[in-house]
Amino acid sequence: MGRSVYQGESYDTVYAFDNYIIEENEDSNGKICVVYCSSSGLYFPNTEEEFIKAFIDKEDKFEWRNHRVNGAKKSIWIRDITKEFYIRGINKRICTIDKLLDFLHGETKGYDVITVGSSGGGYIATVIGCILNAKRVFSFSGFFDLNIVDKDIWPLVAECAQLPACQKYYQLQELVKSSDTIIFHFYSHHLKEDCLQVQSVESDNVKKFCFDSSIHGIPFKKDWHRISILDRVLNLPEKKLLRLHMLYSARIISEWNWHWRVIFESMK
């Protein structure tokens, strides 16, 4: 796969961008703000050519633009162009996780917060959710412990491991346990890395859904017979999500069973 682009002229150009989008829905009477967090799948493969294509030439990529929580008053998309768990924040001004948290604290003040992300995006969605007292976090194959990631794939994680500003967010166990935020965490049973990350955090507020899958990220098909299963999951009320967790908490979930159950719950 190769290492991500985190230096050079093209990187400096994109790092000077905002690397966030904020949209407000004037038609919504609610008070929900959703923070969508892009992952390390933002571009692939990890080449200069793909980096330029994703952010400069043809696209301005953010994940989660096509899968949203309905009715949100405010939506914020963030991306980590470094693809190193937001260690460098999102841009030259918001260049650390703490500065990112300060920025989002201001943007979400007065709102009920929901965060969404997969993989590295799931990691930062958990950090943001717990610090900002979010109503809930949707984490798909999200990370909880950066000390057990492959340092060859994420070299900056190894380089920054001893820096106090970074280190305090490397292990999320205590942060998660001290928070009242509910984290709905979806992961694959057949991926060692996913399972190791799940084992690194034990807390009643982490609601784990283990799938009969080997997919890192969304461990089930996003769409099924023209029905967006992912959209329906994101828009289920908390009560129904908790009911699904009670049903599946001691099971490995088959994709087919999950699909029809989510559809059933969303139509009740």
Side-chain angles (χ1 to χ4, degrees):
M1 183 171 66
R3 295 179 176 183
S4 60
V5 176
Y6 58 89
Q7 58 189 0
E9 184 177 346
S10 297
Y11 176 83
D12 290 342
T13 296
V14 180
Y15 196 48
F17 296 168
D18 285 337
N19 295 312
Y20 65 81
I21 298 172
I22 298 176
E23 292 182 1
E24 297 199 37
N25 182 1
E26 299 299 331
D27 296 327
S28 174
N29 295 319
K31 59 173 185 174
I32 292 175
C33 177
V34 187
V35 181
Y36 299 95
C37 310
S38 291
S39 74
S40 295
L42 194 53
Y43 67 89
F44 187 83
N46 292 333
T47 63
E48 187 88 11
E49 180 182 6
E50 287 300 316
F51 183 91
I52 292 170
K53 179 182 175 183
F55 304 126
I56 299 175
D57 284 352
K58 297 179 181 179
E59 301 181 61
D60 192 17
K61 289 191 72 174
F62 289 82
E63 292 180 347
W64 300 100
R65 296 289 280 166
N66 296 322
H67 298 282
R68 308 190 185 188
V69 176
N70 297 332
K73 182 69 175 177
K74 190 173 187 177
S75 299
I76 303 173
W77 289 265
I78 61 173
R79 68 187 183 195
D80 170 19
I81 65 162
T82 310
K83 301 206 305 185
E84 293 274 348
F85 299 94
Y86 291 76
I87 286 173
R88 289 184 176 176
I90 59 174
N91 60 41
K92 284 185 176 180
R93 294 174 291 104
I94 306 169
C95 56
T96 65
I97 290 177
D98 280 326
K99 289 183 178 181
L100 176 60
L101 291 169
D102 287 343
F103 166 71
L104 291 173
H105 183 268
E107 289 294 335
T108 61
K109 189 174 183 179
Y111 290 91
D112 291 331
V113 178
I114 296 172
T115 65
V116 181
S118 69
S119 190
Y123 160 80
I124 201 65
T126 299
V127 174
I128 294 166
C130 291
I131 296 292
L132 298 187
N133 298 313
K135 288 187 66 178
R136 59 182 168 270
V137 172
F138 288 98
S139 169
F140 300 89
S141 291
F143 287 71
F144 296 102
D145 189 341
L146 301 190
N147 288 318
I148 56 175
V149 303
D150 187 334
K151 305 302 192 301
D152 290 329
I153 296 175
W154 291 287
L156 287 184
V157 171
E159 290 176 22
C160 297
Q162 302 307 315
L163 299 178
C166 297
Q167 192 179 56
K168 64 180 179 179
Y169 298 115
Y170 268 43
Q171 293 176 303
L172 302 187
Q173 165 78 4
E174 294 306 316
L175 177 64
V176 168
K177 284 182 67 176
S178 65
S179 172
D180 292 327
T181 295
I182 296 177
I183 301 164
F184 294 102
H185 182 76
F186 308 82
Y187 70 101
S188 291
H189 176 67
H190 301 294
L191 278 183
K192 181 180 178 180
E193 186 175 51
D194 274 23
C195 293
L196 285 174
Q197 289 296 325
V198 166
Q199 291 165 14
S200 75
V201 63
E202 288 297 334
S203 177
D204 290 341
N205 55 330
V206 180
K207 309 302 181 184
K208 302 172 184 178
F209 295 81
C210 180
F211 286 82
D212 185 16
S213 170
S214 57
I215 299 171
H216 181 70
I218 315 299
F220 52 86
K221 289 181 181 177
K222 298 177 186 178
D223 303 294
W224 189 56
H225 295 287
R226 300 184 181 179
I227 297 171
S228 177
I229 301 299
L230 181 56
D231 285 349
R232 296 206 179 197
V233 170
L234 294 177
N235 285 284
L236 283 174
E238 183 176 297
K239 180 173 66 175
K240 292 188 176 184
L241 288 165
L242 291 172
R243 185 158 63 219
L244 284 174
H245 178 257
M246 289 183 63
L247 176 65
Y248 290 120
S249 61
R251 298 168 54 183
I252 298 173
I253 308 168
S254 73
E255 187 169 68
W256 179 86
N257 188 275
W258 175 251
H259 285 168
W260 76 257
R261 176 60 69 173
V262 167
I263 293 170
F264 175 74
E265 289 291 345
S266 66
M267 296 177 64
K268 286 174 65 176

